[in-house]
Structures are given as C-alpha cells and as structure tokens.
Amino acid sequence: MTNRLVVIGNGMAPGRALERLFEAAPGTYDVTIFNAEPRTNYDRILLSPVLSGEKSYEEIVIHGDAWYEQNGVKLHKGKKVVAIDRAAKTVTAEDGTTAAYDKLLIATGSVPFIIPVPGRDLAGVLTYRDLDDVNAMLIAAENGGHAVVIGGGLLGLEAAAGLKARGMEVTVVHLMPTLMERQLDAAAGGLLKRALEDRAIKVITKANTKEILATHDSRGSTRVRGVVLDDGAEIAADIVVMAVGIRPNAAIAKEAGLETNRGIVVDERLRTSDPDILAVGECVEFNGNVYGLVAPLYEQANIVSNELTGLGGAGFTDKALATKLKVTGVDLFSAGDFADAEGREEIVLRDATRGVDKRLVLEDDKVVGAVLFGDTSDSSWFFQHIKDGTDISEMRDKLIFGPAYAGGSQADPSAAVATLP
C-alpha cells in the first residue's frame, strides 16, 4: 500500500525535497500539496528581477502544472491549511478540504514582520515576500510617485532598486547606522549607501519610523500619504514597503501541539516532536537557529527526502553562509563571521576611488569571515577557505589579493552564493 504524504506549503524547500523524493523512490508516496498561494512553485529569489522588469513571472516558475501531473501530485492551489489533527492524522483547509496523511511535511515558510506603528494597516502599506506583494508594487508603480521602503536589509534594498527601476522616487529609511548591518561592516555599508545614492535612491539611516500618515482620496477611501520619523521629519509616500525582517510561520504547528520556539523545533533529521511530522524551510528552528538562505534550506530538503525514503545519511548541521546583493551594478558579498572578538585579526584592502572594500577576518590562522564590496571576483575562493577551515598561515601576506597571488584555483562561483527570498 502506498503511503500518503501531505505537504503544507509549496515553496522552494518542499519543491526540492519532492524532486529528490521522486528521483530516489518514485511511487513510494501519494503526494498532496496545499498551497496558500493560487499558483504553482516559483523561485522567490528571482522576485527582485520580476519587480525591476528584468524577468517575467513565467521565467521564474520552477514546477509548472505538467510537473505535478507527471508525478501524480494533487496540488490544491489557493487553499490555506488552518488545522492539523494529529490524532486523526488529517489536515483541513479554510474551505473545508481535508486530506489524510501517513507522513506530514510542514513548509509554511515565514511571515513578514510589521512594525507596530499607527497607520500600518492603511491601503498602500505593503510587504515584500511573495508574487502577490510584487504585483501590488507593480500596480502602484504604474502611477509613479514616491515609495518609502522601511528597512535597509537585503530585501528592502532589492525592493528599493526594483521600484526605482519602475520609475518611482524611492527613499529607504533604516533604523541602524549601517545598511545591511548583519552582513556588512561600517565601511562596506557606507560604500553601499553611496552606491545607492548614485542611483538616485535616497537613504536615511538611524531613522526610526513613528507613524504612517493617511489621506482620503476622491472616492472616500483612506490610504497612505507619508511617513513620520521620530525626529519629526515627514516623507511623502504613495506606497510604503515594510521590509524590516521575517519570522518563521510556526502558528499552525504550535496550535497542533508541536514543539515550537521561534520556529518549529526539529532534530538533525528535520523531525518535529511528532515522529510522523517533518518540517523544512524558513519555518524550521534547529539548535536555536532559523534559516532564510537557499543553501541551508536545500540541504534540509535533501535530508527530508532521505528521511522519507529511509536512505539515512548525514543530518543537518549549521554551516557558514554567504549572501550576495541582487541590485544591478552593485557587487557585494558577505560570508561567515566578521564580528569583533578577542584573538581575531583583520586584513583590509580599501580603494575608495574605485569603490572597492575587501575585509577578511582571521582567527587561529583561518579565515572566519569575509566582506567584499566593489570586486567580488574572488568570493568563491574566500568562501571555500571559510567552509574548509584552511590554514592560511603560509599565504597570509598575499591572501587578500586572491588566488592569482596567494595560490590555488578558483572554485565554482555558484557554490559561493545562497540568497534570501
């Protein structure tokens, strides 16, 4: 008898897990997917090029309808699961659709954090997480006007660049002194700010949003008209994009009595506190950590596939991660740990005229962190040394200049980058 596998969510991580499952053990499971979005699986990493006009939605689809048909998958589009009955081993969607499972995979992803300020519920206040958000921004951009993006992290800056490419005037307001402070040091953050301002995107750092202002249009509707900062400054806005962070979407798991903290707590095999329920992706918490980059999520997906097929193999572990910004003309790479700590040393190469800033963080003759701005050509090589824990003592003096000077060959560039949706 074929086992029944139900999947809640249809993002990149469960999509990869099913690909591996069908390759390794076709026909092992009858698969049913509930997708809250009314569409098939697509590449969330490429939402930024869709927003900027460099790609269409059709170009970022990962699995079209034919893929589900070929693999015998029953896909419920636009059906959000609202309940898991662990005793009956069923899930139920908002419209009452119910499916029974032998194994359940929760892949509910993450939800955007909305800062609790007055006006946050106004029409024209948007988030940036899925295709519906992008479509809403594209509609707003048709009329031009001014966009305020709250948040100077990866997603916020990609949204800002996309809206600018669509013809809007854009202001980024960021609470911290440095853009992308989780990935960049102050020097690289300053260069990034200058690069964005050179593209006519206004950037205000150390800016705390106090209120979102409303206006009434000719039809009597209330919508956003501006943003007020703590210092009293007012910025006109036709749309406001909230991009201040994400949180694991663990609500349905918590309601079902599974162990949760920030996310759905799993072990190294991606098993939840219920042995018949696995979880994967941004909704997961492992060893106190949550994940938003593609590389660890795909690693999780491979382990889920192995677990479902009984193949075993290595469990999930925390590894060094790399980030690259997808803004046309801005070359930026960050990997590893570059926080100040006792016993650490830095190697810095800075050419302000060319807009190049390279910083390596060393500890015990190993590279533990790297930040590259303006020239990321050696990023894969540095990232490989971080992952491998290479002893660099013999090439320390030439290390910052890359493999052409320090020795060694270039690694596969694709291995260096794992980007956030």
Side-chain angles (χ1 to χ4, degrees), residues 40 42 49 98 105-106 122 152 196 201 209 317 331 369 387 405 411:
T40 61
Y42 61 90
T98 299
L105 176 60
I106 303 177
L122 288 170
L196 293 169
I201 296 173
T209 302
T317 57
D331 293 319
K387 291 194 293 183
Y405 295 90

Side-chain angles (χ1 to χ4, degrees), residues 298-380:
Y298 276 180
E299 182 187 347
Q300 291 177 7
N302 293 338
I303 294 168
V304 163
S305 172
N306 290 341
E307 184 66 18
L308 289 170
T309 55
L311 291 178
F316 183 67
T317 57
D318 292 313
K319 296 178 181 177
L321 301 175
T323 302
K324 194 168 186 178
L325 183 65
K326 301 187 300 295
V327 173
T328 302
V330 177
D331 293 319
L332 183 154
F333 174 87
S334 174
D337 181 3
F338 52 89
D340 292 333
E342 188 175 347
R344 289 186 173 180
E345 302 174 284
E346 292 184 4
I347 302 176
V348 179
L349 173 64
R350 188 165 295 151
D351 186 339
T353 303
R354 290 176 54 225
V356 172
D357 185 271
K358 298 184 180 184
R359 179 185 175 202
L360 301 179
V361 180
L362 308 181
E363 187 173 17
D364 298 329
D365 289 324
K366 296 180 177 65
V367 183
V368 296
V371 180
L372 311 178
F373 187 95
D375 178 5
T376 59
S377 57
D378 296 327
S379 58
S380 58

Side-chain angles (χ1 to χ4, degrees), residues 262 266-270 281 284-292 295-297 299-300 303 314-322 336 383 386-388:
R262 282 195 297 163
V266 298
D267 64 12
E268 72 281 355
R269 304 299 303 170
L270 281 303
V284 158
E285 178 179 335
F286 174 71
N287 281 350
N289 296 315
V290 296
Y291 304 87
L297 302 191
E299 182 187 347
Q300 291 177 7
I303 294 168
F316 183 67
T317 57
D318 292 313
K319 296 178 181 177
L321 301 175
F383 189 45
I386 293 173
K387 291 194 293 183
D388 294 345

